[in-house]
């Protein structure tokens, strides 16, 4: 199993550009989530999904969209990038929401200039 | 909002010593987990303890949970240089919609 994969590893955007961060898992997990990690802030939840077709907002959803058309994929879209979105983004999955360990991808380091 | 708060923020010890990190949280939880993050990498799950458990062991790791004090501790015994990493606690419960809430982490440095 590849586990949780994320692409790209690094990305530089200009303010106002849009892009999609890809996340895929091959463990047939129902629950997938996106976090951002900023220096000294730990991880903050952006959006999550409890299954195909079902998504919900986390703590910091503004400026981001998600969709879950398949069990395997959970892309994160930045609609109009802003410097405040410079961060490291992690995708994670687990069999269910709550009470299970989460498997993390390697992360995408995004810089918005 | 972030639920967990780790203490200390940074810890420096020598190989062979024990490392203790603490986590406090604010609202009732179902489960508490500890994760490790090596520099520039994703998080790796270490251990999960449920709210009705008081202590759990995994290899050199020992986790305790005191729900009355809303706190947990992670003990790493006989530390190695390879244990150098950041350690995060994360909680889930009804208040968070069962999504994981992470603390800001403890940075552990183990010197040879």
């Amino acid at each position: 199993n590849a586990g949780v994969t994320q692409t790209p590893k690094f990305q530089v955007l200009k303010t106002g550009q849009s892009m999609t961060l890809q996340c895929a898992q091959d463990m047939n997990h129902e629950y997938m989530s996106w976090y951002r990690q900023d220096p000294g802030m730990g991880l903050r939840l952006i959006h999550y999904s409890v299954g195909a077709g079902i998504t919900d907002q986390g703590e910091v959803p503004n400026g981001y969209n998600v969709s879950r058309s398949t069990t395997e994929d959970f892309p994160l879209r930045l609609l109009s990038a802003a410097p405040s979105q410079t961060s490291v983004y992690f995708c994670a999955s687990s069999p269910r929401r709550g009470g299970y360990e989460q498997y993390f991808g390697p992360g995408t380091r995004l810089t918005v200039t | 909002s972030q639920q967990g708060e780790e203490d200390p923020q940074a810890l420096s010890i020598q190989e062979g010593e024990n490392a203790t990190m603490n986590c406090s949280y604010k609202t009732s939880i179902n489960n508490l987990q500890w994760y490790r993050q090596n520099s520039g990498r994703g998080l790796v799950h270490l251990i999960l303890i449920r709210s009705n458990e008081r202590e759990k062991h995994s290899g050199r790791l020992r986790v305790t949970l005191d729900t009355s004090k809303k706190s947990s501790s992670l003990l790493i015994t006989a530390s190695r240089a390879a244990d150098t990493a950041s350690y995060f606690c994360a909680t889930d419960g009804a208040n968070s919609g069962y999504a994981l809430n992470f603390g800001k982490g403890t940075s552990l440095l183990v010197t040879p």
Side-chain angles (χ1 to χ4, degrees):
Chain A
N1 285 354
V4 179
T5 58
Q6 290 184 239
T7 56
K9 284 191 167 57
F10 301 94
Q11 183 70 50
V12 179
L13 290 179
K14 292 189 187 319
T15 297
Q17 287 184 319
S18 62
M19 78 159 295
T20 300
L21 280 62
Q22 301 293 344
C23 173
Q25 52 92 8
D26 61 359
M27 297 172 282
N28 202 32
H29 286 170
E30 286 188 2
Y31 183 78
M32 296 185 74
S33 53
W34 276 101
Y35 295 88
R36 59 177 289 173
Q37 184 177 32
D38 302 296
M41 291 294 293
L43 276 76
R44 291 182 291 170
L45 182 65
I46 304 171
H47 284 286
Y48 64 92
S49 168
V50 298
I54 307 170
T55 64
D56 208 345
Q57 297 180 351
E59 181 187 353
V60 288
N62 292 343
Y64 308 95
N65 269 2
V66 291
S67 60
R68 183 100 179 267
S69 55
T70 67
T71 299
E72 294 78 20
D73 300 297
F74 191 44
L76 178 72
R77 295 183 190 83
L78 279 69
L79 308 171
S80 177
S84 60
Q85 293 179 303
T86 293
S87 189
V88 182
Y89 291 84
F90 290 100
C91 178
S93 75
S94 64
R96 303 275 192 281
R97 177 173 66 175
Y100 295 86
E101 71 169 277
Q102 293 209 14
Y103 295 78
F104 281 81
T108 294
R109 186 174 294 274
L110 175 69
T111 302
V112 183
T113 61
Chain B
S1 60
Q2 287 182 293
Q3 161 86 301
E5 189 87 21
E6 289 92 343
D7 170 61
Q9 288 187 349
L11 181 60
S12 182
I13 60 173
Q14 291 193 311
E15 267 191 329
E17 293 181 337
N18 294 344
T20 300
M21 288 157 266
N22 302 297
C23 170
S24 59
Y25 56 91
K26 298 171 187 168
T27 60
S28 62
I29 63 171
N30 282 11
N31 308 281
L32 185 143
Q33 303 184 40
W34 285 90
Y35 287 81
R36 184 188 74 230
Q37 183 180 36
N38 290 89
S39 181
R41 309 290 291 272
L43 277 74
V44 174
H45 180 264
L46 295 176
I47 203 162
L48 181 153
I49 187 166
R50 304 198 186 279
S51 60
N52 61 355
E53 297 175 311
R54 291 297 166 258
E55 189 170 311
K56 226 170 171 181
H57 296 256
S58 177
R60 293 184 295 113
L61 307 180
R62 173 178 168 256
V63 168
T64 62
L65 178 64
D66 187 336
T67 53
S68 66
K69 294 181 180 177
K70 292 188 171 58
S71 67
S72 173
S73 68
L74 170 67
L75 168 68
I76 304 174
T77 59
S79 296
R80 306 166 182 166
D83 294 328
T84 293
S86 292
Y87 292 82
F88 296 89
C89 70
T91 58
D92 72 67
N95 288 326
S96 68
Y98 303 100
L100 274 185
N101 277 312
F102 282 84
K104 296 180 182 179
T106 291
S107 178
L108 173 65
L109 174 65
V110 183
T111 54

